[in-house]
Amino acid sequence: MGEFKVHRVRFFDYMPSAIRAMAFNSHTERLALVRADGALEIFNFADHYFQEKVIPGQDGRAVEALCWVGQRLFSAGLNGEITEYDLENLRPRYTVEAYGGPIWTIGSNKQGTLLMVGCEDGTVKMFEILKERIQFQRNLERQKGRIVSLSWHPSGTLIAAGMMDMIRIFNAETGKEMQHDPESREVVVWSVAFLSDYTIISGDSAGKVQIWDGLTGTLVRTHLVTKWDVLCLSVSQDESSLIAGTSEGTVVQFQFISSTVDQQEEEWVRTRTFKNHSHDVRALAHTETAVVSGGMDTQLVVRPLLDKVEKNTQESAMRKIALPHRSLVCCAKKAGLLLFQFPDHLEVWRVGESDGHGEENTHTHTHTHTHTHYLILPSPSSSSLQVSKLPKDLCLGHQLCFSSDSTKLFASSRHSSVIVVALNQLECKYLHTLKPKSGESRLALFFSSSYFQLDKLSIVAIETTVTIYGSVCLQLHCTVPIYSSCPTAIAIHPTTSHLVVVHADQQIFEYSLVQKEYTEWSRKLQKQGLHSLWLERDTPVTHVTFSLKNPAHIILHDMFMFCIIDQSLPLPESKTLLYNQMTLRSLPEQERIRHSHAFKICKNFKHVMCVSLLEDHSLVVVERPLLDMMSQLPAPVRQKKFAT
Amino acid sequence: MAALYEGYTLCGLVPGQTLTNSGIQGIEAERDSDHVVVTDSTRSVTLYKVSDQKPLSSWTVKQGQTLTCPAVYNSQTEEYVVVSDNKVIRIWKDEDILLDKAFKATVSSDVWRVHCLPGGEPVVLFQRGAVRLLDSLLSAPQQPIEEVLAQEEAIRWSTNIVADSQQFVIFTTEQKGDSFLYLHRLNPNTLQRYRLEREEPGLSPLSFSASYRDKHICLLYLYPNGHVYQSVVSVRGLGGDEGAQALPLPRSLLLGLPVGEGLLEAASAQLLDEAHVAVVGVPHPSAGAGKDFLCIWNTNFQTLQAGKEMAGKIYGQLWTFSNKLFIPHGKTLSVIPYECPKSSLASALGKLKQAKTEEFKAPACVPSWNNILHGDKAQPSRPAETRKTRTNRKTQSAPSLTVDQVLDFTKTAPVEEVQREVEGLLSRADIQDLQPLVGQLASMLVSRSLADPAFYTPSTLAQLVHTQSLCHSVCPDLVLLALERRDFFLCQLCLQFFPDIPEAVTCACLKAFISMPDTEAEKLSLEPDSVSFMETLIARERAPVGLQNGFSSTSTDQDCSDALGGGGRVVIKTGEEDKEKSSTPPEPICPVGLHKAVLLNEVLLTAYSDTFLLPHLKDLSSQHVVLFLQYLQFLYLKYSQDASPQMHGLRSPSLTQIMDWVCMVLDAHFTVLVMTPEAKGLLVNLHSFVKSQVRLVSELGKIEGSLQELNKMKVKKDVGQYSIEIIELF
């Protein structure tokens, strides 16, 4: 394969925002997660924890709490508004002002008919969930002091509200305050959980998890968990297990079991402590098999409970999701430019010539429509486009893509449509909208374009469906057979016009756009099956690119490696060594051929955000070391000292 | 020598500080030596755990309110007391979060300070000089408070002291350039007023520090011209006329500190113990005119014992709690641990005795500079046996002789009676004046014994040595007398208890011990501790061979077994024996008898200095040298075989002591030993020790080198922000 010059780039100062809240929908197995900058992310736990959707945040919309009601997702924040999200068009559907000051918490009853929010002014406000919107119903009796946390009893008749110094129990029907459990000291009840046996569990700023009898208002048990705050609680669906997240970065599990073997009576017993975070654990979700936690240190951690999953399988492995599952870096191959996408601005850099430092390019774009743009630099000509006026329809573009001759710009739009805009040196003109045939209202997620004979093509991937459009005739070209897992990276080969799709379950497909069928190589790959080590990788492939010199080479990468697939070489069999670079290095040259296989995997680089091949056949690897990211975090409240 | 250790930062200072104000109002001890309460000059009180450098909790009064006195901790009730806005006394507990919700009481007059000592009750000192116990004040907060001070008289400094279960509030005032000291005793209340002698006109003290010792309150104060004065006030004499007249307060100049140019501005002197003063804000005598130094001075010798430059501005504030100095400087509050060991004669005389043995024995009552200068009555610990005899004596109620009579009596009386009378006197005598008496008695007995060969009182002398009030310089002939009379038990006691035996005498003892026939030695009765140590050491040679920590010596190579086999009397051996030995190396055999070994150990344990010892060592005959070396070799082998034979807390020489003696004996007698045929095997063995040591060290060096390489490997080269690399894929 030979030597590569690698531009190793570590100056992309990407810094994800802290995780603020999360909500898990056990029916759809989707985890909704919101970050401190208001960005919402949806993870599909059924499909290898893939980050399916991202809705960028907006200034001034600090989301404090999330709540699923069926398939619908609501959020509330300190701006005092309740927002429902349009998860198909990836934008807020509507926003309702609650008129109660900042909202600290949101919750719904089990039936999914009512939504309640806890406000700064001490009111609990009830909203009726209608089909298209929500409507204010009534206030519960107003309290002194803010409502920090809420929990609805499964029967729907009682509501527990955590406040400063106390927990109050409301009758949900009459709205009257029934009783309260006063706390002795100045504490904030950060989180409450109301169980079906009328037990109330609270986590507070004094570091205690307390178990109360909700009927009598008496304290049953106090567990001192931390010296700092207990910030969040989450109860498993069967109410047999409870997890509490603390400011120390620990997650403490409690289980409802009998504390001694022969004792019949069950009680809440502290069982396990997980320490996967360095900072505050702000959000927790207790899925059937795992503890999901996130917080100040920006990582989403899925920690399977070993009594619920089979040991030593892929399922029982802990996952840390630290980098986004999409590419934030674009590379102009000819010009050697790199575009870094930040939430509110872009940076363009030029790769260096010698082994000196890369010099920064002159212009840095700052966008007015923040958080919304995905941009791909035109590969043939890198001259920057001075576009004065954008068509109105382009305002909400989640993905942008240039045609390979830079004359057209494709932008994804609402209702799964694609807007095509013609570009020249001076202006851009709206040309056409590509609409999906079925009329489904789902958003395009992936893009690529390429020459195909004389026609140009663009592809659209909608969740699991991949559709191809001809961009001259502007008509549907074909649809790739549907596969059960989400595509994570898609590209069209510039010369052979093969479409390469990599899915969240690590499967690779190659589809010929000419024959409109899977290629021979792809069939062979499917028949033989991918190597088990390849399938066990836990980060998705986020980018696919090709070598201009050798059309048989496909370059793809995930967070911990990049791989050059040489289609001319035999596929690795199940018992051959997949990561064989070290072995090959030690072999004499004649024997290498016998041992080499199609997957050339290089693990020299860690936390890779982009790997691309420039036109001069040198590689660009953009890394974002997690240690650099950690060093930008504020100091944690507690640091592990030796032997403490 | 007093020493200042590496300091650490407790906290940063609040940014509200000015040039003269550090922002810290006061630091008070909390529940134990590791907790302090820091009150800042505005609104907040913070509790710190000093060793963790960590605030545990903090309390703040509302905006607009000010704390006007440092918070104190009442350890009896576990409450904190502070005064805000001069009149509001606040009391709260550790678990209270908000100060505003804590207990409050408003009093009718402005409060100067609240003082509270561990174990004492909190005392409130009002700005006009009145003093109340906090409890009685709180029972009627609005009670009228009398004015004690005159017009224009203002309190400058105050403290409180508990002396003999009496609580005192001490404060100094200033009135028109005159300084006064008030001593207020509580329960019953008395007040005494003293006038401080005037220093140069216009100068008033910069800082005060008070301590209590020997029924006297000792006040130390520093003037801007660098003079540190001490005034001592007796506690007993208090009372009588209540502060009607200001008595003149005598003072003595303790230190004249170098001030450099101009006068001191922000400086403070703090008493650490009777001989040491910590001074801050005064120039270091050998470091120019900068005043940002923290120094410890010895007031007896007027010497600078330790100094440390403090970064940043010094505010002239200094607190000390439990061997730590708290000093705000620059933008931080630093904690600097210090140590002020007593300077003693023993430490001045060459090597001090092994610290290890001192841990187990009560410190020998040797003359200490401090004691001589201050008449400090350190209580010599008397052995239990004399106490027992005392009680016996009392029951007998025999007519007893006075000290002088006994002294006269010893000159003439027969042995038995002298013994009885001295014993009686020792049991009767007041422990304080025991020391001169013991010295007198001992020298008298020794001189009589020397003069009269028939007279000797071994048990009395042993008893006198046991009091630990004797040392060699008091009675220089005692050891030699014991040697002459072959009283080796007394010799052992002297070696054990005297810190100042000259090297010549040590050598004489060594010579006597080594030349003593074993049969004679076994008849001796010796100190049981040291005997039992030697017994265990020798007993081990009969214990099953090998398998120490799983180590079997049979697997060791030839070199090693040479070394092991060479011990004891089996010095020269045939090749056949040698082969046998290499398969089962014998345990080393002790070349001397048990009691002789015990005595030799005592010599090994004695403090010495090489230069003085060497010439005397040369007096030993070559046979004795060989025997002694064999014994040392035996000890060395024993020590290197066993994990740690010294672990028993018994009197035992350390491995380094043994090696030092080996080196010294070889140094003194090398040429003789080379010429002596019997010593050849021994030297070969010692040589093989050295060889094995050298090999061990070189192996250790290799390990060290490889570990360092490992360390180097771990340091990954920093990739930096951008680099161009070449990788090769196959």
Side-chain angles (χ1 to χ4, degrees):
Chain A
M1 182 130 279
E3 286 187 347
F4 288 90
K5 190 163 107 177
V6 181
H7 297 271
R8 190 172 193 175
V9 173
R10 289 184 161 205
F11 48 75
F12 181 19
D13 285 328
Y14 168 73
M15 188 64 206
S17 208
I19 294 172
R20 181 56 60 88
M22 58 171 78
F24 184 68
N25 189 334
S26 51
H27 296 295
T28 58
E29 295 207 47
R30 298 289 201 283
L31 180 86
L33 175 153
V34 72
R35 290 186 185 268
D37 62 356
L40 178 85
E41 293 167 13
I42 307 282
F43 289 86
N44 186 347
F45 274 34
D47 192 9
H48 299 82
Y49 306 93
F50 180 60
Q51 188 186 37
E52 270 187 341
K53 293 166 185 171
V54 176
I55 302 180
Q58 274 180 7
D59 292 335
R61 187 182 282 169
V63 176
E64 201 56 38
L66 277 178
C67 171
W68 286 99
V69 180
Q71 304 266 9
R72 297 165 72 179
L73 183 65
F74 294 90
S75 77
L78 297 183
N79 58 357
E81 290 173 345
I82 305 170
T83 304
E84 183 178 356
Y85 290 98
D86 181 351
L87 294 179
E88 268 132 27
N89 291 318
L90 301 190
R91 64 196 181 99
R93 194 195 297 273
Y94 58 83
T95 296
V96 173
E97 171 67 55
Y99 298 109
I103 300 175
W104 290 94
T105 175
I106 189 169
S108 79
N109 62 353
K110 211 174 185 181
Q111 296 73 32
T113 55
L114 287 173
L115 200 65
M116 58 175 174
V117 293
C119 303
E120 175 77 15
D121 68 352
T123 53
V124 176
K125 291 173 190 286
M126 297 275 220
F127 289 84
E128 200 178 343
I129 302 174
L130 303 175
K131 202 166 180 210
E132 285 299 316
R133 63 199 169 86
I134 56 171
Q135 189 174 13
F136 176 70
Q137 200 190 39
R138 66 198 156 88
N139 280 333
L140 301 189
E141 199 167 298
R142 183 166 170 177
Q143 302 299 318
K144 246 182 169 177
R146 64 177 67 127
I147 309 282
V148 180
S149 51
L150 283 173
S151 180
W152 214 308
H153 187 263
S155 72
T157 52
L158 295 176
I159 295 170
M163 304 177 56
M164 311 295 289
D165 292 340
M166 63 179 77
I167 301 165
R168 280 180 194 268
I169 301 169
F170 295 98
N171 187 321
E173 269 115 47
T174 61
K176 288 269 171 13
E177 172 211 336
M178 291 175 66
Q179 57 194 177
H180 59 267
D181 308 320
E183 305 251 351
S184 56
R185 288 172 32 177
E186 186 91 348
V187 290
V188 186
V189 181
W190 283 120
S191 186
V192 286
F194 210 150
L195 306 185
S196 47
D197 63 351
Y198 292 97
T199 301
I200 295 174
I201 296 167
S202 68
D204 57 41
S205 61
K208 290 176 189 151
V209 171
Q210 293 184 311
I211 292 142
W212 309 81
D213 185 332
L215 293 174
T216 58
T218 49
L219 179 64
V220 178
R221 188 79 203 268
T222 297
H223 294 274
L224 187 62
V225 167
T226 170
K227 278 187 200 162
W228 286 275
D229 293 22
V230 174
L231 292 173
C232 46
L233 294 173
S234 180
V235 185
S236 69
Q237 199 133 43
D238 58 359
E239 295 187 354
S240 68
S241 166
L242 165 87
I243 46 176
T246 71
S247 295
E248 284 175 88
T250 52
V251 175
V252 181
Q253 190 192 10
F254 295 86
Q255 280 176 291
F256 195 57
I257 47 175
S258 49
S259 55
T260 49
V261 180
D262 46 343
Q263 200 178 324
Q264 288 299 308
E265 205 163 301
E266 294 188 317
E267 57 178 341
W268 286 101
V269 181
R270 179 174 171 168
T271 50
R272 270 174 279 202
T273 304
F274 308 110
K275 174 94 172 85
N276 298 320
H277 295 276
S278 56
H279 290 68
D280 296 15
V281 175
R282 289 294 304 263
L284 274 180
H286 198 314
T287 72
E288 211 156 285
T289 56
V291 171
V292 187
S293 54
M296 281 293 288
D297 63 357
T298 75
Q299 298 186 12
L300 177 68
V301 176
V302 182
R303 170 70 194 245
L305 292 167
L306 291 180
D307 51 351
K308 301 279 173 55
V309 294
E310 207 175 311
K311 280 185 192 75
N312 300 324
T313 59
Q314 221 183 328
E315 203 191 5
S316 67
M318 190 177 81
R319 277 167 193 266
K320 279 194 177 187
I321 301 170
L323 294 178
H325 286 169
R326 55 202 61 224
S327 194
L328 299 179
V329 180
C330 286
C331 179
K333 295 181 175 173
K334 198 171 180 181
L337 293 182
L338 288 172
L339 176 87
F340 298 148
Q341 183 190 345
F342 289 90
D344 50 359
H345 70 279
L346 302 170
E347 279 180 11
V348 182
W349 295 72
R350 186 188 301 281
V351 296
E353 288 302 317
S354 64
D355 46 4
H357 287 268
E359 45 185 281
E360 193 177 357
N361 205 299
T362 44
H363 50 270
T364 301
H365 306 272
T366 308
H367 280 248
T368 46
H369 300 282
T370 54
H371 308 298
T372 51
H373 287 267
Y374 273 55
L375 205 74
I376 294 170
L377 274 196
S379 53
S381 70
S382 74
S383 62
S384 60
L385 296 157
Q386 300 287 324
V387 181
S388 53
K389 240 170 39 182
L390 281 171
K392 214 178 171 187
D393 291 321
L394 261 176
C395 288
L396 189 88
H398 273 278
Q399 295 261 352
L400 292 178
C401 175
F402 289 94
S403 63
S404 19
D405 59 356
S406 301
T407 56
K408 288 201 181 72
L409 173 70
F410 306 91
S412 69
S413 182
R414 64 192 62 169
H415 306 304
S416 295
S417 57
V418 177
I419 295 167
V420 184
V421 177
L423 298 171
N424 58 33
Q425 288 294 4
L426 295 170
E427 52 158 12
C428 60
K429 204 170 73 187
Y430 171 74
L431 277 184
H432 191 71
T433 303
L434 303 173
K435 286 214 169 85
K437 188 169 59 178
S438 57
E440 276 180 276
S441 57
R442 292 216 170 152
L443 197 91
L445 286 175
F446 286 96
F447 260 107
S448 187
S449 75
S450 175
Y451 291 103
F452 166 53
Q453 292 165 349
L454 290 173
D455 195 5
K456 289 135 205 161
L457 286 174
S458 64
I459 49 168
V460 178
I462 300 151
E463 292 198 352
T464 54
T465 319
V466 179
T467 320
I468 317 292
Y469 293 97
S471 65
V472 168
C473 54
L474 301 175
Q475 273 167 7
L476 178 70
H477 180 77
C478 65
T479 301
V480 179
I482 291 174
Y483 183 69
S484 60
S485 183
C486 273
T488 62
I490 289 176
I492 299 177
H493 199 288
T495 50
T496 62
S497 288
H498 290 162
L499 173 79
V500 176
V501 186
V502 187
H503 292 273
D505 63 356
Q506 312 294 359
Q507 289 293 343
I508 306 168
F509 292 99
E510 194 187 35
Y511 186 80
S512 165
L513 297 179
V514 185
Q515 275 97 37
K516 296 188 183 177
E517 60 177 27
Y518 286 120
T519 62
E520 195 58 36
W521 183 80
S522 183
R523 285 167 203 276
K524 203 169 82 188
L525 185 67
Q526 288 306 312
K527 203 168 151 196
Q528 187 175 330
L530 280 153
H531 196 277
S532 60
L533 286 177
W534 176 268
L535 295 175
E536 274 169 22
R537 290 177 309 112
D538 62 354
T539 50
V541 169
T542 51
H543 189 64
V544 176
T545 185
F546 303 97
S547 162
L548 295 175
K549 263 189 194 166
N550 192 339
H553 287 180
I554 305 169
I555 300 155
L556 36 82
H557 79 89
D558 67 9
M559 194 166 146
F560 295 104
M561 61 100 206
F562 77 84
C563 173
I564 298 179
I565 299 176
D566 188 344
Q567 289 177 305
S568 62
L569 287 175
L571 293 168
E573 303 206 10
S574 60
K575 55 188 178 297
T576 52
L577 199 63
L578 181 70
Y579 303 110
N580 64 349
Q581 287 298 315
M582 291 297 266
T583 332
L584 291 181
R585 184 191 300 272
S586 61
L587 287 174
E589 203 156 340
Q590 304 86 326
E591 280 183 54
R592 279 182 195 159
I593 298 292
R594 276 199 307 122
H595 288 88
S596 60
H597 57 71
F599 286 74
K600 316 276 184 200
I601 297 170
C602 172
K603 299 189 99 172
N604 291 8
F605 307 101
K606 291 267 142 49
H607 312 120
V608 179
M609 298 207 61
C610 177
V611 174
S612 195
L613 196 62
L614 297 182
E615 212 163 50
D616 64 354
H617 210 63
S618 61
L619 280 165
V620 175
V621 178
V622 181
E623 286 178 295
R624 179 61 179 154
L626 287 188
L627 274 180
D628 291 4
M629 239 146 74
M630 292 297 122
S631 65
Q632 289 189 19
L633 293 172
V637 291
R638 181 187 157 147
Q639 270 154 340
K640 171 88 179 160
K641 282 188 186 153
F642 177 72
T644 55
Chain B
M1 282 286 276
L4 289 166
Y5 297 113
E6 195 57 45
Y8 46 88
T9 302
L10 186 63
C11 62
L13 298 180
V14 276
Q17 73 206 28
T18 59
L19 277 178
T20 50
N21 180 7
S22 68
I24 289 181
Q25 195 168 153
I27 301 176
E28 294 283 337
E30 217 248 8
R31 62 195 83 149
D32 56 25
S33 60
D34 203 20
H35 289 78
V36 292
V37 187
V38 179
T39 309
D40 77 10
S41 53
T42 52
R43 289 167 49 214
S44 63
V45 178
T46 313
L47 169 64
Y48 286 94
K49 185 157 165 50
V50 179
S51 58
D52 288 359
Q53 301 162 249
K54 196 170 70 178
L56 296 180
S57 40
S58 176
W59 300 272
T60 314
V61 293
K62 272 189 192 152
Q63 193 95 38
Q65 297 174 339
T66 336
L67 297 178
T68 52
C69 111
V72 296
Y73 179 71
N74 183 351
S75 55
Q76 288 177 338
T77 57
E78 298 185 342
E79 283 171 336
Y80 301 91
V81 184
V82 80
V83 178
S84 66
D85 299 321
N86 291 320
K87 282 198 172 119
V88 186
I89 297 177
R90 292 160 185 270
I91 299 174
W92 75 98
K93 289 207 172 215
D94 203 10
E95 58 261 27
D96 295 331
I97 293 173
L98 287 185
L99 212 48
D100 285 316
K101 293 192 178 167
F103 172 80
K104 264 185 273 203
T106 309
V107 294
S108 57
S109 178
D110 283 357
V111 175
W112 165 255
R113 281 288 135 87
V114 179
H115 288 290
C116 184
L117 277 179
E121 270 187 78
V123 184
V124 181
L125 170 63
F126 288 90
Q127 284 190 0
R128 302 311 307 154
V131 173
R132 293 280 189 282
L133 281 172
L134 183 66
D135 281 352
S136 69
L137 179 65
L138 291 181
S139 61
Q142 287 298 322
Q143 61 185 267
I145 304 296
E146 72 277 4
E147 293 218 351
V148 176
L149 304 187
Q151 288 287 319
E152 296 175 34
E153 189 173 2
I155 301 183
R156 288 281 169 257
W157 168 85
S158 67
T159 188
N160 86 337
I161 275 181
V162 174
D164 295 343
S165 72
Q166 281 278 336
Q167 211 169 347
F168 290 89
V169 175
I170 306 166
F171 54 99
T172 59
T173 63
E174 208 174 303
Q175 183 190 22
K176 295 174 188 155
D178 275 328
S179 293
F180 296 95
L181 170 74
Y182 287 79
L183 217 58
H184 188 120
R185 185 172 68 183
L186 290 144
N187 287 344
N189 284 329
T190 56
L191 182 68
Q192 187 60 56
R193 184 174 186 229
Y194 297 93
R195 178 196 299 273
L196 266 62
E197 271 180 63
R198 280 211 175 197
E199 189 68 11
E200 295 165 40
L203 294 187
S204 49
L206 274 177
S207 83
F208 293 93
S209 165
S211 72
Y212 171 78
R213 59 173 182 259
D214 304 340
K215 304 201 166 30
H216 288 83
I217 288 169
C218 180
L219 185 74
L220 181 99
Y221 40 106
L222 167 71
Y223 279 95
N225 57 7
H227 289 180
V228 178
Y229 290 99
Q230 180 177 267
S231 296
V232 178
V233 184
S234 169
V235 175
R236 280 181 187 148
L238 277 180
D241 49 344
E242 259 199 25
Q245 211 136 31
L247 302 172
L249 185 65
R251 68 180 185 184
S252 57
L253 183 65
L254 267 191
L255 284 172
L257 296 173
V259 290
E261 298 143 23
L263 294 171
L264 301 175
E265 280 160 2
S268 177
Q270 197 79 35
L271 267 174
L272 301 180
D273 60 21
E274 58 260 55
H276 293 94
V277 176
V279 182
V280 75
V282 176
H284 194 283
S286 54
K291 290 185 176 151
D292 37 7
F293 278 94
L294 169 67
C295 298
I296 295 182
W297 288 82
N298 186 313
T299 51
N300 292 336
F301 307 120
Q302 319 244 320
T303 50
L304 178 66
Q305 300 263 303
K308 199 180 187 81
E309 189 169 5
M310 307 306 296
K313 193 184 157 45
I314 295 272
Y315 303 98
Q317 284 177 306
L318 184 65
W319 291 270
T320 165
F321 301 107
S322 61
N323 282 353
K324 292 185 198 78
L325 289 163
F326 292 74
I327 166 169
H329 63 100
K331 289 194 161 29
T332 51
L333 171 63
S334 284
V335 180
I336 296 163
Y338 69 90
E339 190 184 56
C340 293
K342 284 192 175 181
S343 35
S344 71
L345 190 57
S347 70
L349 282 172
K351 287 182 184 178
L352 194 62
K353 276 205 153 194
Q354 293 286 313
K356 188 187 65 151
T357 49
E358 281 182 351
E359 276 170 25
F360 304 117
K361 306 284 173 196
C365 183
V366 295
S368 143
W369 290 124
N370 295 322
N371 299 350
I372 292 166
L373 290 162
H374 290 277
D376 183 26
K377 302 287 193 299
Q379 306 268 312
S381 59
R382 287 164 49 137
E385 47 188 340
T386 52
R387 212 165 284 137
K388 217 179 281 164
T389 50
R390 175 168 61 180
T391 47
N392 289 344
R393 278 278 149 185
K394 270 184 184 161
T395 48
Q396 287 170 12
S397 68
S400 51
L401 301 167
T402 64
V403 174
D404 290 334
Q405 280 173 322
V406 174
L407 286 176
D408 280 343
F409 191 67
T410 47
K411 285 180 189 158
T412 50
V415 175
E416 293 78 26
E417 283 184 36
V418 168
Q419 270 176 351
R420 206 177 59 226
E421 282 311 320
V422 170
E423 195 177 308
L425 182 67
L426 281 179
S427 61
R428 276 201 316 273
D430 189 11
I431 212 86
Q432 260 81 16
D433 21 85
L434 189 65
Q435 194 169 332
L437 174 67
V438 168
Q440 275 173 306
L441 269 177
S443 41
M444 203 161 286
L445 287 172
V446 168
S447 54
R448 188 176 165 197
S449 303
L450 285 174
D452 174 10
F455 180 85
Y456 188 59
T457 53
S459 60
T460 311
L461 284 172
Q463 205 179 352
L464 288 174
V465 174
H466 253 302
T467 59
Q468 304 192 19
S469 302
L470 272 184
C471 62
H472 187 266
S473 9
V474 167
C475 186
D477 296 326
L478 179 58
V479 187
L480 295 175
L481 173 74
L483 282 177
E484 191 186 304
R485 301 290 171 102
R486 302 191 79 75
D487 182 357
F488 294 114
F489 175 57
L490 186 60
C491 279
Q492 189 192 14
L493 285 184
C494 291
L495 286 170
Q496 193 169 333
F497 290 116
F498 289 1
D500 55 346
I501 293 185
E503 283 77 0
V505 178
T506 312
C507 254
C509 287
L510 174 64
K511 207 170 162 183
F513 293 158
I514 204 119
S515 57
M516 170 175 40
D518 267 334
T519 45
E520 188 193 335
E522 296 313 311
K523 285 177 201 150
L524 293 171
S525 73
L526 293 172
E527 219 255 327
D529 260 9
S530 44
V531 176
S532 68
F533 163 72
M534 256 340 269
E535 267 171 351
T536 44
L537 198 68
I538 292 174
R540 238 178 252 153
E541 64 186 62
R542 283 151 214 151
V545 184
L547 288 174
Q548 286 282 343
N549 296 331
F551 165 79
S552 167
S553 52
T554 44
S555 60
T556 49
D557 60 8
Q558 186 66 41
D559 267 359
C560 218
S561 67
D562 261 6
L564 293 171
R569 286 158 188 146
V570 196
V571 174
I572 303 158
K573 55 215 166 189
T574 63
E576 213 178 335
E577 270 176 348
D578 209 69
K579 216 178 265 172
E580 224 180 313
K581 293 239 152 41
S582 68
S583 56
T584 51
E587 282 290 303
I589 297 160
C590 186
V592 294
L594 172 69
H595 284 185
K596 204 162 158 178
V598 168
L599 291 172
L600 288 175
N601 283 352
E602 215 58 67
V603 173
L604 297 184
L605 279 164
T606 320
Y608 63 87
S609 118
D610 312 17
T611 22
F612 297 124
L613 191 63
L614 262 181
H616 299 294
L617 267 183
K618 295 197 173 166
D619 296 347
L620 287 175
S621 75
S622 65
Q623 279 156 337
H624 291 156
V625 167
V626 171
L627 184 60
F628 189 43
L629 273 179
Q630 278 171 353
Y631 175 64
L632 288 172
Q633 183 194 18
F634 160 77
L635 278 184
Y636 173 83
L637 282 173
K638 270 292 172 189
Y639 273 46
S640 38
Q641 272 178 2
D642 297 332
S644 48
Q646 300 127 290
M647 290 290 282
H648 312 289
L650 303 170
R651 284 181 61 79
S652 57
S654 72
L655 190 59
T656 36
Q657 279 172 328
I658 296 167
M659 286 319 286
D660 285 351
W661 273 94
V662 169
C663 295
M664 253 182 331
V665 174
L666 284 178
D667 277 351
H669 291 276
F670 190 71
T671 40
V672 181
L673 285 172
V674 169
M675 305 295 283
T676 316
E678 309 92 87
K680 202 174 155 196
L682 186 68
L683 286 179
V684 167
N685 282 328
L686 289 173
H687 176 67
S688 73
F689 288 174
V690 174
K691 222 160 77 180
S692 64
Q693 286 285 321
V694 167
R695 220 168 47 187
L696 175 71
V697 168
S698 83
E699 290 300 319
L700 285 175
K702 279 183 206 163
I703 293 172
E704 190 189 12
S706 8
L707 287 176
Q708 265 172 1
E709 276 308 304
L710 272 180
N711 251 346
K712 272 183 210 158
M713 273 164 66
K714 271 188 187 163
V715 181
K716 265 194 174 171
K717 63 177 198 302
D718 187 24
V719 181
Q721 294 264 289
Y722 178 65
S723 57
I724 295 178
E725 298 172 8
I726 303 292
I727 60 163
E728 194 176 8
L729 288 179
F730 299 99

